Amino acid sequence: MRIQWFPGHMTKAFRMMQEQLMQVDCIIYVLDARAVYSCINPKFEALTGKKPVLYVINKCDLVEKDDVNKWLTYFASRGEKCVAADSLNGRQRDFIVNILKELNAAVIEKYRLKGAKKSVRAMVVGVPNTGKSTFINNLCSSRKTVTGNKAGVTRGKQWVSLAEGVELLDTPGSLPPAFEDEERALHLAFIGSVKDDVLDIEELAAEMMSYFSKNHTDAFLARYSLNEMPRDVEERFIAVAKARGFMLSGGRVDYARTARAVVDDFRKQKFGKIMLDLPEEI
Protein backbone atom coordinates (compact mmCIF):
# COMPACT_ATOMS: atom_id res chain seq x y z
CA MET A 1 0.00 0.00 0.00
CA ARG A 2 1.57 3.26 -1.14
CA ILE A 3 0.82 6.20 1.19
CA GLN A 4 1.41 9.81 0.23
CA TRP A 5 -0.26 12.87 1.77
CA PHE A 6 1.39 16.29 1.82
CA PRO A 7 -1.24 18.98 1.20
CA GLY A 8 -0.38 22.60 0.56
CA HIS A 9 -0.94 23.73 4.14
CA MET A 10 1.93 21.49 5.29
CA THR A 11 4.33 23.28 2.94
CA LYS A 12 3.15 26.57 4.43
CA ALA A 13 3.53 25.14 7.93
CA PHE A 14 7.19 24.26 7.38
CA ARG A 15 7.85 27.70 5.96
CA MET A 16 6.21 29.29 8.99
CA MET A 17 8.24 27.12 11.38
CA GLN A 18 11.47 28.11 9.66
CA GLU A 19 10.52 31.79 9.93
CA GLN A 20 9.69 31.45 13.64
CA LEU A 21 12.76 29.40 14.56
CA MET A 22 14.84 32.47 15.41
CA GLN A 23 12.07 33.63 17.76
CA VAL A 24 12.07 30.51 19.95
CA ASP A 25 14.49 29.15 22.53
CA CYS A 26 13.69 25.45 22.26
CA ILE A 27 11.56 22.79 20.58
CA ILE A 28 8.93 20.51 22.11
CA TYR A 29 8.69 17.46 19.85
CA VAL A 30 5.43 15.58 20.49
CA LEU A 31 5.36 11.88 19.54
CA ASP A 32 2.42 9.47 19.65
CA ALA A 33 3.25 6.63 22.06
CA ARG A 34 1.71 4.06 19.71
CA ALA A 35 4.25 4.83 16.96
CA VAL A 36 7.15 6.76 18.47
CA TYR A 37 9.74 6.09 15.78
CA SER A 38 7.28 6.58 12.92
CA CYS A 39 6.37 10.01 14.34
CA ILE A 40 9.95 11.26 14.00
CA ASN A 41 9.86 13.41 10.89
CA PRO A 42 13.33 13.77 9.30
CA LYS A 43 12.37 17.26 8.12
CA PHE A 44 11.76 18.32 11.75
CA GLU A 45 15.21 17.00 12.66
CA ALA A 46 16.77 19.43 10.20
CA LEU A 47 14.48 22.22 11.42
CA THR A 48 15.47 22.01 15.08
CA GLY A 49 19.12 22.82 14.37
CA LYS A 50 21.02 23.47 17.60
CA LYS A 51 17.96 24.39 19.64
CA PRO A 52 17.40 22.35 22.83
CA VAL A 53 14.73 19.70 22.25
CA LEU A 54 12.29 18.13 24.70
CA TYR A 55 10.75 14.95 23.30
CA VAL A 56 7.29 14.22 24.67
CA ILE A 57 5.93 10.70 24.27
CA ASN A 58 2.24 11.55 24.32
CA LYS A 59 -0.93 9.45 24.70
CA CYS A 60 0.89 7.06 27.03
CA ASP A 61 -2.45 5.87 28.37
CA LEU A 62 -2.90 4.00 25.05
CA VAL A 63 0.14 1.72 25.49
CA GLU A 64 1.83 -0.37 28.16
CA LYS A 65 4.00 1.47 30.67
CA ASP A 66 6.90 -0.97 30.23
CA ASP A 67 7.02 -0.19 26.51
CA VAL A 68 7.09 3.55 27.20
CA ASN A 69 9.99 3.02 29.62
CA LYS A 70 11.97 1.34 26.83
CA TRP A 71 11.71 4.52 24.78
CA LEU A 72 12.62 6.74 27.74
CA THR A 73 15.74 4.61 28.21
CA TYR A 74 16.50 4.84 24.49
CA PHE A 75 16.36 8.64 24.41
CA ALA A 76 18.37 8.89 27.63
CA SER A 77 21.09 6.67 26.09
CA ARG A 78 21.36 9.23 23.27
CA GLY A 79 21.70 12.10 25.73
CA GLU A 80 18.28 13.49 24.75
CA LYS A 81 15.62 14.82 27.12
CA CYS A 82 12.37 12.88 26.92
CA VAL A 83 9.25 12.66 29.09
CA ALA A 84 6.12 10.55 28.98
CA ALA A 85 2.76 12.32 28.97
CA ASP A 86 -0.94 11.59 28.93
CA SER A 87 -2.79 14.40 27.18
CA LEU A 88 -6.02 13.49 28.96
CA ASN A 89 -4.80 15.03 32.20
CA GLY A 90 -2.70 17.95 33.29
CA ARG A 91 -0.94 16.47 36.31
CA GLN A 92 2.51 16.83 34.73
CA ARG A 93 2.16 20.53 34.11
CA ASP A 94 4.66 21.79 36.70
CA PHE A 95 7.08 18.95 35.92
CA ILE A 96 7.24 19.79 32.20
CA VAL A 97 7.45 23.54 32.81
CA ASN A 98 10.43 22.94 35.13
CA ILE A 99 12.14 20.80 32.46
CA LEU A 100 11.70 23.59 29.90
CA LYS A 101 13.31 26.04 32.29
CA GLU A 102 16.12 23.56 32.95
CA LEU A 103 16.76 23.14 29.22
CA ASN A 104 16.97 26.91 28.85
CA ALA A 105 18.82 27.66 32.08
CA ALA A 106 21.75 29.28 30.26
CA VAL A 107 19.65 31.83 28.39
CA ILE A 108 17.52 32.55 31.49
CA GLU A 109 20.69 33.21 33.52
CA LYS A 110 22.08 35.42 30.76
CA TYR A 111 19.02 37.69 30.98
CA ARG A 112 19.01 37.58 34.79
CA LEU A 113 22.55 38.95 34.88
CA LYS A 114 21.30 41.85 32.77
CA GLY A 115 18.52 42.48 35.24
CA ALA A 116 15.81 41.12 32.94
CA LYS A 117 13.37 38.26 33.33
CA LYS A 118 13.44 35.87 30.41
CA SER A 119 10.26 34.12 29.26
CA VAL A 120 11.10 30.79 27.61
CA ARG A 121 9.58 30.43 24.14
CA ALA A 122 9.07 26.90 22.85
CA MET A 123 7.82 25.75 19.46
CA VAL A 124 5.62 22.64 19.66
CA VAL A 125 6.00 20.37 16.62
CA GLY A 126 4.86 16.91 15.57
CA VAL A 127 3.11 14.93 12.87
CA PRO A 128 -0.71 15.24 12.72
CA ASN A 129 -2.88 13.77 15.46
CA THR A 130 -0.17 13.35 18.11
CA GLY A 131 -2.16 15.47 20.57
CA LYS A 132 -0.05 18.64 20.45
CA SER A 133 -2.93 21.04 21.05
CA THR A 134 -4.43 18.97 23.86
CA PHE A 135 -0.98 18.76 25.45
CA ILE A 136 -0.72 22.55 25.33
CA ASN A 137 -4.24 23.01 26.69
CA ASN A 138 -3.40 20.85 29.69
CA LEU A 139 -0.24 22.82 30.37
CA CYS A 140 -2.37 25.96 30.30
CA SER A 141 -5.04 24.37 32.52
CA SER A 142 -7.61 25.60 30.03
CA ARG A 143 -8.75 25.10 26.46
CA LYS A 144 -6.85 27.74 24.50
CA THR A 145 -6.09 25.97 21.22
CA VAL A 146 -8.19 24.08 18.68
CA THR A 147 -8.17 20.31 19.22
CA GLY A 148 -9.62 17.29 17.47
CA ASN A 149 -9.15 13.53 17.24
CA LYS A 150 -8.18 13.61 13.58
CA ALA A 151 -5.32 14.74 11.40
CA GLY A 152 -4.99 18.33 10.25
CA VAL A 153 -6.99 20.28 12.86
CA THR A 154 -4.43 23.00 13.63
CA ARG A 155 -3.81 25.07 10.48
CA GLY A 156 -1.99 28.20 11.67
CA LYS A 157 0.42 29.31 14.37
CA GLN A 158 -1.00 29.90 17.85
CA TRP A 159 0.98 31.49 20.68
CA VAL A 160 -0.09 30.61 24.22
CA SER A 161 1.40 32.26 27.32
CA LEU A 162 1.83 30.40 30.61
CA ALA A 163 1.91 32.12 34.00
CA GLU A 164 5.14 30.28 34.80
CA GLY A 165 7.10 32.34 32.28
CA VAL A 166 6.82 29.95 29.36
CA GLU A 167 5.30 30.76 25.98
CA LEU A 168 4.32 27.98 23.59
CA LEU A 169 3.87 28.18 19.84
CA ASP A 170 1.45 25.54 18.57
CA THR A 171 2.11 24.56 14.96
CA PRO A 172 0.19 22.50 12.39
CA GLY A 173 1.00 18.81 12.23
CA SER A 174 3.20 18.00 9.25
CA LEU A 175 4.32 14.80 7.57
CA PRO A 176 7.45 14.21 5.47
CA PRO A 177 7.01 15.31 1.84
CA ALA A 178 7.76 11.70 0.87
CA PHE A 179 7.83 8.44 2.84
CA GLU A 180 11.01 6.44 2.34
CA ASP A 181 9.95 3.77 4.84
CA GLU A 182 6.65 2.09 3.96
CA GLU A 183 6.26 0.52 7.39
CA ARG A 184 6.53 3.90 9.14
CA ALA A 185 3.97 5.31 6.72
CA LEU A 186 1.58 2.45 7.51
CA HIS A 187 1.99 2.95 11.25
CA LEU A 188 1.11 6.64 10.88
CA ALA A 189 -1.97 5.65 8.87
CA PHE A 190 -2.93 3.12 11.56
CA ILE A 191 -2.94 5.78 14.29
CA GLY A 192 -4.79 8.37 12.20
CA SER A 193 -1.90 10.72 11.40
CA VAL A 194 -2.74 10.39 7.71
CA LYS A 195 -6.26 11.49 6.80
CA ASP A 196 -8.56 8.54 6.17
CA ASP A 197 -10.06 10.51 3.28
CA VAL A 198 -6.90 10.00 1.22
CA LEU A 199 -6.57 6.31 2.06
CA ASP A 200 -8.20 3.16 0.75
CA ILE A 201 -9.66 1.92 4.05
CA GLU A 202 -10.04 -1.63 2.76
CA GLU A 203 -6.34 -1.73 1.88
CA LEU A 204 -5.50 -0.19 5.24
CA ALA A 205 -7.55 -2.83 7.05
CA ALA A 206 -5.86 -5.56 5.02
CA GLU A 207 -2.45 -4.22 6.07
CA MET A 208 -3.63 -4.03 9.67
CA MET A 209 -4.80 -7.65 9.60
CA SER A 210 -1.46 -8.62 8.09
CA TYR A 211 0.21 -6.89 11.04
CA PHE A 212 -1.91 -8.90 13.47
CA SER A 213 -1.02 -12.13 11.69
CA LYS A 214 2.56 -11.54 12.97
CA ASN A 215 2.02 -9.44 16.10
CA HIS A 216 -0.52 -9.59 18.96
CA THR A 217 -2.31 -12.39 17.10
CA ASP A 218 -4.08 -13.67 20.23
CA ALA A 219 -5.68 -10.26 20.79
CA PHE A 220 -7.02 -10.22 17.24
CA LEU A 221 -8.40 -13.75 17.52
CA ALA A 222 -10.04 -12.97 20.87
CA ARG A 223 -11.70 -9.82 19.52
CA TYR A 224 -13.45 -11.75 16.74
CA SER A 225 -13.82 -15.10 18.54
CA LEU A 226 -11.58 -16.93 16.06
CA ASN A 227 -9.65 -20.12 16.73
CA GLU A 228 -6.83 -19.35 14.32
CA MET A 229 -5.65 -16.57 12.04
CA PRO A 230 -7.02 -17.02 8.49
CA ARG A 231 -4.26 -17.59 5.95
CA ASP A 232 -4.90 -14.78 3.49
CA VAL A 233 -6.58 -11.39 3.18
CA GLU A 234 -9.83 -12.66 1.69
CA GLU A 235 -10.31 -15.26 4.42
CA ARG A 236 -9.58 -12.68 7.10
CA PHE A 237 -12.23 -10.31 5.73
CA ILE A 238 -14.75 -13.16 5.64
CA ALA A 239 -13.95 -14.26 9.19
CA VAL A 240 -14.23 -10.74 10.64
CA ALA A 241 -17.40 -10.00 8.63
CA LYS A 242 -19.07 -13.14 9.96
CA ALA A 243 -17.97 -12.34 13.51
CA ARG A 244 -19.34 -8.79 13.33
CA GLY A 245 -22.47 -9.62 11.32
CA PHE A 246 -21.36 -7.72 8.23
CA MET A 247 -22.42 -10.31 5.65
CA LEU A 248 -24.68 -9.26 2.79
CA SER A 249 -27.31 -11.28 0.96
CA GLY A 250 -25.96 -14.19 -1.00
CA GLY A 251 -23.10 -14.71 1.44
CA ARG A 252 -21.21 -11.63 0.25
CA VAL A 253 -18.88 -9.66 2.51
CA ASP A 254 -19.58 -6.02 3.28
CA TYR A 255 -15.96 -5.04 2.81
CA ALA A 256 -16.45 -1.35 3.60
CA ARG A 257 -18.06 -1.95 7.01
CA THR A 258 -15.64 -4.76 7.85
CA ALA A 259 -12.60 -2.65 7.01
CA ARG A 260 -13.90 0.31 8.99
CA ALA A 261 -14.55 -1.96 11.98
CA VAL A 262 -11.00 -3.35 12.01
CA VAL A 263 -9.42 0.11 11.79
CA ASP A 264 -11.73 1.53 14.46
CA ASP A 265 -11.12 -1.45 16.75
CA PHE A 266 -7.40 -0.78 16.66
CA ARG A 267 -7.78 2.95 17.32
CA LYS A 268 -10.21 2.30 20.19
CA GLN A 269 -7.82 -0.19 21.84
CA LYS A 270 -10.19 -3.13 21.32
CA PHE A 271 -7.09 -5.27 20.73
CA GLY A 272 -5.43 -3.92 23.86
CA LYS A 273 -2.67 -1.39 24.42
CA ILE A 274 -0.45 -1.87 21.39
CA MET A 275 2.80 -0.07 20.61
CA LEU A 276 3.70 -0.43 16.93
CA ASP A 277 7.32 0.76 17.24
CA LEU A 278 9.82 -0.54 19.78
CA PRO A 279 13.39 0.81 20.11
CA GLU A 280 14.97 -2.63 19.75
CA GLU A 281 13.42 -2.90 16.27
CA ILE A 282 15.02 0.21 14.75
PDB file of all heavy atoms in Angstrom, residues 117-136:
ATOM      1  N   LYS A 117      13.989  39.569  33.149  1.00  0.00           N
ATOM      2  CA  LYS A 117      13.373  38.263  33.335  1.00  0.00           C
ATOM      3  C   LYS A 117      13.045  37.674  31.968  1.00  0.00           C
ATOM      4  O   LYS A 117      12.322  38.278  31.182  1.00  0.00           O
ATOM      5  CB  LYS A 117      12.103  38.383  34.178  1.00  0.00           C
ATOM      6  CG  LYS A 117      11.517  37.037  34.572  1.00  0.00           C
ATOM      7  CD  LYS A 117      10.363  37.204  35.550  1.00  0.00           C
ATOM      8  CE  LYS A 117       9.817  35.851  35.981  1.00  0.00           C
ATOM      9  NZ  LYS A 117       8.687  36.009  36.933  1.00  0.00           N
ATOM     10  N   LYS A 118      13.605  36.504  31.706  1.00  0.00           N
ATOM     11  CA  LYS A 118      13.438  35.866  30.409  1.00  0.00           C
ATOM     12  C   LYS A 118      12.255  34.904  30.423  1.00  0.00           C
ATOM     13  O   LYS A 118      12.140  34.033  31.281  1.00  0.00           O
ATOM     14  CB  LYS A 118      14.717  35.094  30.040  1.00  0.00           C
ATOM     15  CG  LYS A 118      14.594  34.163  28.842  1.00  0.00           C
ATOM     16  CD  LYS A 118      14.329  34.912  27.556  1.00  0.00           C
ATOM     17  CE  LYS A 118      14.300  33.953  26.373  1.00  0.00           C
ATOM     18  NZ  LYS A 118      13.863  34.616  25.123  1.00  0.00           N
ATOM     19  N   SER A 119      11.358  35.065  29.440  1.00  0.00           N
ATOM     20  CA  SER A 119      10.260  34.117  29.260  1.00  0.00           C
ATOM     21  C   SER A 119      10.683  33.107  28.192  1.00  0.00           C
ATOM     22  O   SER A 119      11.058  33.487  27.084  1.00  0.00           O
ATOM     23  CB  SER A 119       8.996  34.855  28.798  1.00  0.00           C
ATOM     24  OG  SER A 119       7.926  33.942  28.652  1.00  0.00           O
ATOM     25  N   VAL A 120      10.681  31.832  28.544  1.00  0.00           N
ATOM     26  CA  VAL A 120      11.102  30.791  27.612  1.00  0.00           C
ATOM     27  C   VAL A 120      10.050  30.624  26.524  1.00  0.00           C
ATOM     28  O   VAL A 120       8.853  30.492  26.805  1.00  0.00           O
ATOM     29  CB  VAL A 120      11.302  29.448  28.355  1.00  0.00           C
ATOM     30  CG1 VAL A 120      11.594  28.328  27.364  1.00  0.00           C
ATOM     31  CG2 VAL A 120      12.415  29.569  29.379  1.00  0.00           C
ATOM     32  N   ARG A 121      10.494  30.608  25.275  1.00  0.00           N
ATOM     33  CA  ARG A 121       9.582  30.434  24.139  1.00  0.00           C
ATOM     34  C   ARG A 121       9.889  29.101  23.476  1.00  0.00           C
ATOM     35  O   ARG A 121      11.012  28.849  23.041  1.00  0.00           O
ATOM     36  CB  ARG A 121       9.735  31.576  23.143  1.00  0.00           C
ATOM     37  CG  ARG A 121       9.610  32.961  23.755  1.00  0.00           C
ATOM     38  CD  ARG A 121       9.568  34.037  22.697  1.00  0.00           C
ATOM     39  NE  ARG A 121       8.196  34.394  22.359  1.00  0.00           N
ATOM     40  CZ  ARG A 121       7.860  35.105  21.280  1.00  0.00           C
ATOM     41  NH1 ARG A 121       8.781  35.485  20.426  1.00  0.00           N
ATOM     42  NH2 ARG A 121       6.595  35.410  21.051  1.00  0.00           N
ATOM     43  N   ALA A 122       8.887  28.240  23.409  1.00  0.00           N
ATOM     44  CA  ALA A 122       9.073  26.897  22.855  1.00  0.00           C
ATOM     45  C   ALA A 122       8.120  26.668  21.692  1.00  0.00           C
ATOM     46  O   ALA A 122       6.931  26.987  21.776  1.00  0.00           O
ATOM     47  CB  ALA A 122       8.833  25.848  23.935  1.00  0.00           C
ATOM     48  N   MET A 123       8.652  26.117  20.601  1.00  0.00           N
ATOM     49  CA  MET A 123       7.824  25.749  19.461  1.00  0.00           C
ATOM     50  C   MET A 123       7.428  24.280  19.594  1.00  0.00           C
ATOM     51  O   MET A 123       8.276  23.414  19.793  1.00  0.00           O
ATOM     52  CB  MET A 123       8.595  25.964  18.148  1.00  0.00           C
ATOM     53  CG  MET A 123       7.792  25.610  16.894  1.00  0.00           C
ATOM     54  SD  MET A 123       8.806  25.644  15.375  1.00  0.00           S
ATOM     55  CE  MET A 123       9.186  27.395  15.274  1.00  0.00           C
ATOM     56  N   VAL A 124       6.133  24.010  19.524  1.00  0.00           N
ATOM     57  CA  VAL A 124       5.624  22.644  19.656  1.00  0.00           C
ATOM     58  C   VAL A 124       5.401  22.077  18.264  1.00  0.00           C
ATOM     59  O   VAL A 124       4.617  22.614  17.475  1.00  0.00           O
ATOM     60  CB  VAL A 124       4.311  22.612  20.454  1.00  0.00           C
ATOM     61  CG1 VAL A 124       3.856  21.167  20.682  1.00  0.00           C
ATOM     62  CG2 VAL A 124       4.480  23.324  21.796  1.00  0.00           C
ATOM     63  N   VAL A 125       6.099  20.971  17.947  1.00  0.00           N
ATOM     64  CA  VAL A 125       5.997  20.371  16.619  1.00  0.00           C
ATOM     65  C   VAL A 125       5.629  18.898  16.729  1.00  0.00           C
ATOM     66  O   VAL A 125       5.753  18.283  17.794  1.00  0.00           O
ATOM     67  CB  VAL A 125       7.314  20.518  15.824  1.00  0.00           C
ATOM     68  CG1 VAL A 125       7.729  21.973  15.711  1.00  0.00           C
ATOM     69  CG2 VAL A 125       8.440  19.697  16.462  1.00  0.00           C
ATOM     70  N   GLY A 126       5.197  18.334  15.621  1.00  0.00           N
ATOM     71  CA  GLY A 126       4.860  16.912  15.575  1.00  0.00           C
ATOM     72  C   GLY A 126       4.055  16.606  14.329  1.00  0.00           C
ATOM     73  O   GLY A 126       3.538  17.520  13.677  1.00  0.00           O
ATOM     74  N   VAL A 127       3.948  15.328  13.998  1.00  0.00           N
ATOM     75  CA  VAL A 127       3.108  14.935  12.870  1.00  0.00           C
ATOM     76  C   VAL A 127       1.647  15.095  13.287  1.00  0.00           C
ATOM     77  O   VAL A 127       1.342  15.264  14.477  1.00  0.00           O
ATOM     78  CB  VAL A 127       3.405  13.482  12.420  1.00  0.00           C
ATOM     79  CG1 VAL A 127       4.867  13.320  12.018  1.00  0.00           C
ATOM     80  CG2 VAL A 127       3.029  12.474  13.504  1.00  0.00           C
ATOM     81  N   PRO A 128       0.698  15.063  12.355  1.00  0.00           N
ATOM     82  CA  PRO A 128      -0.711  15.243  12.722  1.00  0.00           C
ATOM     83  C   PRO A 128      -1.210  14.202  13.723  1.00  0.00           C
ATOM     84  O   PRO A 128      -0.770  13.053  13.723  1.00  0.00           O
ATOM     85  CB  PRO A 128      -1.429  15.085  11.371  1.00  0.00           C
ATOM     86  CG  PRO A 128      -0.416  15.465  10.346  1.00  0.00           C
ATOM     87  CD  PRO A 128       0.892  14.965  10.891  1.00  0.00           C
ATOM     88  N   ASN A 129      -2.133  14.645  14.553  1.00  0.00           N
ATOM     89  CA  ASN A 129      -2.875  13.766  15.463  1.00  0.00           C
ATOM     90  C   ASN A 129      -2.034  13.163  16.590  1.00  0.00           C
ATOM     91  O   ASN A 129      -2.374  12.104  17.116  1.00  0.00           O
ATOM     92  CB  ASN A 129      -3.570  12.633  14.678  1.00  0.00           C
ATOM     93  CG  ASN A 129      -4.761  12.059  15.420  1.00  0.00           C
ATOM     94  OD1 ASN A 129      -5.498  12.774  16.093  1.00  0.00           O
ATOM     95  ND2 ASN A 129      -4.945  10.748  15.332  1.00  0.00           N
ATOM     96  N   THR A 130      -0.954  13.837  16.971  1.00  0.00           N
ATOM     97  CA  THR A 130      -0.175  13.349  18.105  1.00  0.00           C
ATOM     98  C   THR A 130      -0.656  13.953  19.427  1.00  0.00           C
ATOM     99  O   THR A 130      -0.148  13.593  20.486  1.00  0.00           O
ATOM    100  CB  THR A 130       1.323  13.671  17.936  1.00  0.00           C
ATOM    101  OG1 THR A 130       1.481  15.075  17.722  1.00  0.00           O
ATOM    102  CG2 THR A 130       1.915  12.891  16.767  1.00  0.00           C
ATOM    103  N   GLY A 131      -1.616  14.875  19.355  1.00  0.00           N
ATOM    104  CA  GLY A 131      -2.162  15.470  20.566  1.00  0.00           C
ATOM    105  C   GLY A 131      -1.435  16.719  21.024  1.00  0.00           C
ATOM    106  O   GLY A 131      -1.452  17.055  22.212  1.00  0.00           O
ATOM    107  N   LYS A 132      -0.802  17.427  20.090  1.00  0.00           N
ATOM    108  CA  LYS A 132      -0.047  18.637  20.454  1.00  0.00           C
ATOM    109  C   LYS A 132      -0.930  19.680  21.127  1.00  0.00           C
ATOM    110  O   LYS A 132      -0.574  20.232  22.167  1.00  0.00           O
ATOM    111  CB  LYS A 132       0.603  19.256  19.205  1.00  0.00           C
ATOM    112  CG  LYS A 132       1.593  18.373  18.483  1.00  0.00           C
ATOM    113  CD  LYS A 132       2.325  19.118  17.381  1.00  0.00           C
ATOM    114  CE  LYS A 132       1.404  19.835  16.400  1.00  0.00           C
ATOM    115  NZ  LYS A 132       0.479  18.920  15.696  1.00  0.00           N
ATOM    116  N   SER A 133      -2.073  19.973  20.509  1.00  0.00           N
ATOM    117  CA  SER A 133      -2.931  21.038  21.045  1.00  0.00           C
ATOM    118  C   SER A 133      -3.514  20.672  22.400  1.00  0.00           C
ATOM    119  O   SER A 133      -3.595  21.511  23.305  1.00  0.00           O
ATOM    120  CB  SER A 133      -4.056  21.352  20.043  1.00  0.00           C
ATOM    121  OG  SER A 133      -3.530  21.877  18.841  1.00  0.00           O
ATOM    122  N   THR A 134      -3.902  19.412  22.563  1.00  0.00           N
ATOM    123  CA  THR A 134      -4.433  18.969  23.855  1.00  0.00           C
ATOM    124  C   THR A 134      -3.343  19.027  24.918  1.00  0.00           C
ATOM    125  O   THR A 134      -3.588  19.411  26.073  1.00  0.00           O
ATOM    126  CB  THR A 134      -4.983  17.538  23.748  1.00  0.00           C
ATOM    127  OG1 THR A 134      -5.988  17.490  22.737  1.00  0.00           O
ATOM    128  CG2 THR A 134      -5.590  17.089  25.072  1.00  0.00           C
ATOM    129  N   PHE A 135      -2.135  18.671  24.539  1.00  0.00           N
ATOM    130  CA  PHE A 135      -0.984  18.757  25.447  1.00  0.00           C
ATOM    131  C   PHE A 135      -0.795  20.196  25.922  1.00  0.00           C
ATOM    132  O   PHE A 135      -0.616  20.459  27.123  1.00  0.00           O
ATOM    133  CB  PHE A 135       0.256  18.251  24.704  1.00  0.00           C
ATOM    134  CG  PHE A 135       1.552  18.495  25.416  1.00  0.00           C
ATOM    135  CD1 PHE A 135       1.927  17.732  26.506  1.00  0.00           C
ATOM    136  CD2 PHE A 135       2.415  19.498  24.984  1.00  0.00           C
ATOM    137  CE1 PHE A 135       3.137  17.954  27.165  1.00  0.00           C
ATOM    138  CE2 PHE A 135       3.618  19.732  25.629  1.00  0.00           C
ATOM    139  CZ  PHE A 135       3.976  18.957  26.724  1.00  0.00           C
ATOM    140  N   ILE A 136      -0.864  21.135  24.986  1.00  0.00           N
ATOM    141  CA  ILE A 136      -0.717  22.550  25.330  1.00  0.00           C
ATOM    142  C   ILE A 136      -1.866  23.009  26.224  1.00  0.00           C
ATOM    143  O   ILE A 136      -1.667  23.720  27.218  1.00  0.00           O
ATOM    144  CB  ILE A 136      -0.660  23.419  24.057  1.00  0.00           C
ATOM    145  CG1 ILE A 136       0.643  23.150  23.302  1.00  0.00           C
ATOM    146  CG2 ILE A 136      -0.770  24.903  24.394  1.00  0.00           C
ATOM    147  CD1 ILE A 136       0.719  23.836  21.961  1.00  0.00           C
TER     148      ILE A 136
END
